[in-house]
Amino acid sequence: MKTAIDNAAVDIPEVMVEQKIDQMIEEFRLKLQVQNMNLDDYLKHMNTDMDKFREQYKDAAKENVKMDLVLEAVAKAETIEVKDMDLQAEIFTMAQNFGADPQEVYKIILKERRVPMLIQSVGRKKAAGFILSHAVDTNATEEKEETQPAKKAADTSEEKPAKKTAAKRTAKKKEDTPEA
């Protein structure tokens, strides 16, 4: 998966990075709320401000945006569909992660108008699954190549006498031809 994303040539618009940072901070804020904390108190406790906190997310946000763009392109190219069952499974997983009731998570998603974001997220996860299921194990290829040199050596040792014979014939022809 990492290889597919690393090999992708993608222009990453700064506005998308900023939006991803906003999203990551919002998710962090929600996790804090589940623990009866708020972001302002957290920042004070960590002796930092929002600008420094946002800066900490910048590199991860760039990588996430690149990954999102690649996965969305794969989903589109492979016509990967997100079905209601996929969304329900994702909501259930989110509820488990937050220690909340799935119905409450669903209500929050509706209230905050995050259904399109949820659909995109599930689509990216399905695209990642597609990539992983179609990935070629390069380690297995390397191991196969490492075991083949012994076979190749055996094959070439059979070929070498033929080459020597050809070399001897060439040498004989040189002996037979008068020197100038």
Side-chain angles (χ1 to χ4, degrees), residues 22-150:
D22 291 343
Q23 180 185 351
M24 294 167 82
I25 289 174
E26 184 59 28
E27 288 171 5
F28 187 75
R29 183 187 317 264
L30 290 172
K31 288 179 184 177
L32 288 173
Q33 283 178 350
V34 168
Q35 298 170 5
N36 295 319
M37 297 175 66
N38 69 43
L39 185 58
D40 292 333
D41 291 342
Y42 176 83
L43 293 175
K44 286 176 191 172
H45 179 73
M46 298 303 292
N47 294 323
T48 191
D49 60 21
M50 184 55 81
D51 290 336
K52 290 177 186 171
F53 189 64
R54 290 181 66 81
E55 189 63 34
Q56 293 173 359
Y57 279 97
K58 192 158 190 137
D59 290 339
K62 280 183 184 177
E63 279 300 307
N64 285 342
V65 168
K66 183 176 182 180
M67 181 174 56
D68 289 352
L69 292 171
V70 170
L71 293 174
E72 287 169 8
V74 169
K76 184 177 181 179
E78 297 300 327
T79 58
I80 293 172
E81 295 180 8
V82 176
K83 299 179 180 170
D84 285 342
M85 187 173 72
D86 300 321
L87 295 174
Q88 290 171 5
E90 183 67 13
I91 290 169
F92 183 78
T93 300
M94 291 170 69
Q96 284 184 321
N97 290 342
F98 288 118
D101 177 42
Q103 290 296 328
E104 290 301 313
V105 171
Y106 180 68
K107 286 178 185 176
I108 291 169
I109 290 169
L110 288 177
K111 178 183 171 190
E112 295 183 7
R113 297 184 177 149
R114 292 182 176 229
V115 174
M117 189 167 52
L118 178 65
I119 293 169
Q120 286 180 328
S121 175
V122 172
R124 288 190 298 264
K125 286 181 180 182
K126 288 182 79 170
F130 176 85
I131 290 172
L132 293 174
S133 70
H134 289 81
V136 175
D137 186 358
T138 56
N139 292 331
T141 305
E142 289 172 7
E143 289 173 13
K144 192 174 183 181
E145 288 173 1
E146 288 174 8
T147 58
Q148 286 182 352

